[in-house]
């Protein structure tokens, strides 16, 4: 089992550019979560999917952020246009059977917007 | 609604001494509780979880936690700290027994282990 795979590991981009973060969940997991981690705010849930359907996107900061899950093995988080305050580590996590089984996190994407 | 409070932002211990990381939770529902560890520049790793069975939960690397409903606590302990335990630890709560899988994270406790 390769775990949750995120790409890229690091991303440096200029303000105003589009950024796309990618996640491959563990096969068979039916929940997928996107979290953002900053020093100031800690870990924040941005959005989560169940069976590829977005369930709760109330944590998405603004319309510049969008997330998709076109199939059970792939999800993207897109920021357009990016701003310096979006700099953070973005984690993807997946789980099976909701919250009962624990979550497996990816290694994260460290985004720096300059 | 649910929330988690980790009572210490930093804990410092000497190698070989006990570790205690404190966590209190609040939940309108029967909770599931987790502890995750994050080593520098790494993702989060599940240490242990409480879902509804035994209130004393044993996890990896010698850690354990006890669910105390009367105190709404889920403190993490280890009898003897190792240098490799230095990391940030997160207490996490979610709603048990439903398909609503949202996790709520505490602010984290940074554990420092001195030789």
């Amino acid at each position: 089992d390769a775990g949750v795979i995120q790409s890229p590991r690091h991303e440096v981009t200029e303000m105003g550019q589009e950024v796309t973060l990618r996640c491959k969940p563990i096969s068979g997991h039916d929940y997928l979560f996107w979290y953002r981690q900053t020093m100031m705010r800690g870990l924040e849930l941005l959005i989560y999917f169940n069976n590829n359907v977005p369930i709760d996107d109330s944590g998405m900061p603004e319309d510049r952020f969008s997330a998709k899950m076109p199939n059970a093995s792939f999800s993207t988080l897109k920021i357009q246009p990016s701003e310096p305050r979006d700099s953070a580590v973005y984690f993807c996590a997946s789980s099976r059977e909701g919250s009962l089984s624990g979550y497996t996190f990816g290694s994260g994407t460290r985004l720096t917007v300059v | 609604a649910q929330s988690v409070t980790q009572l210490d932002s930093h804990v410092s211990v000497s190698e070989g001494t006990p570790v205690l990381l404190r966590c209190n939770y609040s939940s309108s529902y029967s909770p599931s509780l987790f502890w995750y560890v994050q080593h520098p520049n790494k993702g989060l790793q599940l240490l242990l979880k409480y879902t509804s069975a035994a209130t004393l939960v044993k996890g990896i690397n010698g850690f354990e936690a006890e669910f105390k409903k009367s105190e709404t606590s889920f403190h993490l302990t280890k009898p003897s700290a190792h240098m490799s335990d230095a990391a940030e630890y997160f207490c996490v709560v979610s709603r048990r027994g439903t398909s609503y899988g949202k996790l709520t994270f505490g602010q984290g406790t940074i554990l420092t282990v001195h030789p």
Side-chain angles (χ1 to χ4, degrees):
Chain A
D1 186 352
V4 176
I5 300 172
Q6 290 186 247
S7 64
R9 290 296 305 275
H10 302 274
E11 177 80 34
V12 180
T13 190
E14 291 185 348
M15 182 174 62
Q17 297 298 307
E18 177 180 294
V19 176
T20 300
L21 311 181
R22 297 173 176 79
C23 175
K24 176 179 169 55
I26 290 175
S27 178
H29 281 192
D30 52 357
Y31 283 81
L32 185 140
F33 304 79
W34 282 101
Y35 283 86
R36 177 172 68 176
Q37 185 178 38
T38 61
M39 289 291 292
M40 291 297 293
R41 302 170 71 95
L43 274 155
E44 303 172 278
L45 176 65
L46 300 177
I47 185 172
Y48 79 96
F49 296 83
N50 179 217
N51 293 322
N52 312 338
V53 176
I55 302 301
D56 183 352
D57 66 354
S58 59
M60 297 285 262
E62 47 197 276
D63 292 345
R64 298 185 298 106
F65 285 70
S66 62
K68 294 182 179 179
M69 193 165 185
N71 57 62
S73 60
F74 184 64
S75 176
T76 59
L77 177 67
K78 186 176 293 186
I79 308 172
Q80 165 63 13
S82 58
E83 297 182 2
R85 60 193 169 117
D86 302 331
S87 298
V89 181
Y90 292 81
F91 286 103
C92 176
S94 70
S95 76
R96 188 175 58 192
E97 297 175 6
S99 63
L100 300 181
S101 56
Y103 294 63
T104 302
F105 282 80
S107 296
T109 294
R110 182 174 296 276
L111 173 65
T112 303
V113 183
V114 298
Chain B
Q2 55 194 25
S3 66
V4 176
T5 302
Q6 291 183 241
L7 300 171
D8 307 292
S9 59
H10 290 82
V11 169
S12 182
V13 301
S14 297
E15 190 175 21
T17 64
V19 175
L20 170 63
L21 306 183
R22 298 182 295 166
C23 171
N24 286 110
Y25 70 92
S26 170
S27 178
S28 303
Y29 314 103
S30 296
S32 290
L33 292 155
F34 309 80
W35 276 98
Y36 281 84
V37 59
Q38 185 178 26
H39 289 91
N41 300 312
K42 300 289 186 183
L44 291 99
Q45 180 184 17
L46 179 65
L47 272 181
L48 50 78
K49 63 185 179 186
Y50 165 79
T51 54
S52 68
T55 56
L56 182 62
V57 181
K58 294 187 184 299
I60 62 172
N61 301 334
F63 284 94
E64 62 182 38
E66 186 171 8
F67 173 69
K68 292 187 176 180
K69 185 176 180 180
S70 61
E71 299 176 10
T72 61
S73 69
F74 191 59
H75 301 333
L76 182 70
T77 61
K78 183 174 181 178
S80 176
H82 192 273
M83 295 296 290
S84 61
D85 295 328
E88 188 165 15
Y89 292 78
F90 293 92
C91 183
V92 183
V93 64
S94 74
R95 182 177 178 178
R96 185 188 343 146
T98 73
S99 60
Y100 184 75
K102 178 179 176 180
L103 297 179
T104 300
F105 282 77
Q107 286 299 103
T109 299
I110 296 174
L111 175 65
T112 303
V113 182
H114 298 287

